[in-house]
Amino acid sequence: MENNENAKKTLLSGIQPSGDLHLGNFLGAVKNWAEIADEFDCYYFMADLHTLTVRQDPKELRRRSVAQLAQYIACGLDPEKNTLFLQSHVHEHAELGWILNCYTMFGELSRMTQFKDKSAKNADNINGGLFTYPALMAADILLYQADFVPVGQDQKQHCELTRDIAIRFNNLYGETFKVPEPYIPKVGARIMSLGAPTSKMSKSDPQGCVFLLDKPEEIARKFKRAVTDSDTEHCVYYDAENKPGVANLMSIYSSVTGKTFDEIEKEFDGKGYGVFKPAVGDAVVEALRPIREEAERIMADKAYLQQVYTDGAQKASYIARKTLRKVYKKVGLVEKPF
């Protein structure tokens, strides 16, 4: 494998276009991604092939794939600094995914906790893709010889499987894949549901979730209805264990204003939740306003978006093709004549 010590390390992440981005996505991850573009050679793709394990409305999937790309750009992922593309536009993902299926053990796949979770949620559609998609995920990563993969706790098992597959293949055929490391990003805010503050903010709970494209009045309404606690004094102070609702609102307010918890406590000393909750809502409205307006502008410019994902796919394909050609040769496939 090529090894240029002066080259940037490669970082890759795939995001399923399963719905609009929300405040938790932005404050917990995407905001930080925008800040590392100069440090890494970053690849971000809309993982549209992965969504097919669950039945999709074709028209809606196409809309979401492009809309989500626009939202990532609006959040600060500059296409000039990051490679942004749609997974299905780089056919090498599917091709390497099949080959790696043949180097992934049945027992490994059966131990994947996400397969168990997804099977329970889609009992009437437990298809082969649900079972084998970790092999496609491994292909997504290994195609680009990625050094790092940003992972949350729910994806840690898949990253470990990818490493196992890469090591197994390399042991059989010699150095072919770079063995990726999980990337532990700078800690972003862990944003919880406004309606159930002991659970992470999720698009499956639309009333407790603030979407980046929500209108200002909708954001304000959600914050006014946010769960706080049963404290009759309505004091604003940080106590994650006993006041998870207030702690969550303080984390959000801190993230969008830059104020410390001590400063927030002093600001709302004696004012109660009736003042605090609308203030958090107003701060979020102003923080998200430029993102929403930029996303709407980008989504209206279809020619620009098409140019972004075309350029991204062409760059990604060039890298992916080199890896796949090497793999084909190692496993004994006849070299493509074109």
Side-chain angles (χ1 to χ4, degrees):
M1 288 183 296
E2 297 174 10
N3 183 23
N4 182 351
E5 292 185 1
N6 295 320
K8 289 181 181 178
K9 298 288 187 182
T10 298
L11 182 143
L12 175 137
S13 185
I15 313 101
Q16 282 201 41
S18 54
D20 289 330
L21 298 181
H22 57 69
L23 186 65
N25 299 140
F26 176 62
L27 296 179
V30 184
K31 185 180 178 183
N32 294 334
W33 292 355
E35 297 170 0
I36 61 174
D38 294 325
E39 183 180 351
F40 297 103
D41 185 12
C42 297
Y43 291 76
Y44 299 107
F45 63 90
M46 307 305 112
D48 50 357
L49 292 177
H50 282 288
T51 67
L52 300 180
T53 59
V54 177
R55 295 289 174 262
Q56 301 287 333
D57 176 328
K59 183 177 180 181
E60 182 63 12
L61 176 58
R62 280 191 286 271
R63 184 200 69 78
R64 288 200 313 264
S65 297
V66 177
Q68 187 161 292
L69 176 63
Q71 289 171 61
Y72 275 100
I73 298 171
C75 286
L77 293 187
D78 185 350
E80 298 295 322
K81 295 182 177 182
N82 303 276
T83 304
L84 308 174
F85 62 101
L86 305 184
Q87 181 189 25
S88 60
H89 289 180
V90 182
H91 59 80
E92 287 84 1
H93 285 255
E95 293 180 45
L96 183 58
W98 166 251
I99 291 176
L100 295 187
N101 258 319
C102 301
Y103 292 85
T104 307
M105 299 301 107
F106 185 92
E108 291 173 322
L109 293 173
S110 65
R111 288 191 292 273
M112 293 289 109
T113 55
Q114 284 222 348
F115 170 67
K116 298 171 185 175
D117 293 344
K118 290 192 174 190
S119 297
K121 293 176 183 176
N122 300 278
D124 58 342
N125 181 34
I126 303 176
N127 56 69
L130 269 175
F131 187 65
T132 63
Y133 83 93
L136 177 58
M137 189 176 291
D140 297 334
I141 298 166
L142 299 178
L143 267 176
Y144 300 96
Q145 306 293 353
D147 296 281
F148 298 108
V149 183
V151 289
Q153 191 60 37
D154 58 340
Q155 294 295 344
K156 186 178 178 183
Q157 194 180 28
H158 289 143
C159 187
E160 291 170 351
L161 178 61
T162 297
R163 288 172 52 84
D164 291 342
I165 294 169
I167 291 168
R168 179 178 301 138
F169 197 97
N170 289 348
N171 286 341
L172 285 167
Y173 299 108
E175 289 296 305
T176 307
F177 297 122
K178 188 174 289 184
V179 179
E181 298 285 345
Y183 175 71
I184 309 302
K186 183 176 71 176
V187 177
R190 191 166 188 263
I191 305 303
M192 313 305 279
S193 166
L194 298 185
T198 56
S199 301
K200 282 181 66 176
M201 185 173 283
S202 168
K203 61 191 73 171
S204 63
D205 171 25
Q207 293 309 307
C209 181
V210 176
F211 295 97
L212 300 191
L213 299 186
D214 277 347
K215 299 297 183 186
E217 57 272 19
E218 180 69 8
I219 295 173
R221 183 185 66 79
K222 289 179 178 179
F223 275 98
K224 284 177 182 176
R225 294 183 178 181
V227 169
T228 47
D229 58 43
S230 56
D231 179 357
T232 56
E233 296 181 358
H234 289 195
C235 296
V236 176
Y237 62 88
Y238 192 87
D239 183 344
E241 184 175 346
N242 298 306
K243 295 164 70 79
V246 174
N248 184 41
L249 292 174
M250 289 181 70
S251 292
I252 293 171
Y253 194 65
S254 174
S255 296
V256 298
T257 64
K259 294 179 181 179
T260 66
F261 290 156
D262 284 343
E263 289 171 336
I264 295 169
E265 289 177 14
K266 290 176 183 175
E267 181 180 351
F268 295 99
D269 183 27
K271 294 182 180 178
Y273 300 157
V275 173
F276 177 52
K277 292 198 291 184
V280 180
D282 290 344
V284 170
V285 165
E286 293 312 310
L288 295 186
R289 187 186 302 278
I291 294 173
R292 188 189 76 252
E293 292 175 352
E294 179 67 359
E296 290 173 348
R297 184 193 69 77
I298 293 171
M299 285 189 287
D301 192 346
K302 292 182 171 56
Y304 168 74
L305 267 175
Q306 184 173 7
Q307 190 63 55
V308 168
Y309 65 66
T310 298
D311 290 347
Q314 287 176 343
K315 180 182 175 183
S317 292
Y318 175 76
I319 304 297
R321 196 159 48 242
K322 290 202 297 184
T323 297
L324 190 65
R325 190 181 300 126
K326 186 185 300 183
V327 170
Y328 272 25
K329 184 175 182 180
K330 293 286 179 83
V331 301
L333 298 178
V334 175
E335 186 175 354
K336 286 184 176 181
F338 53 86

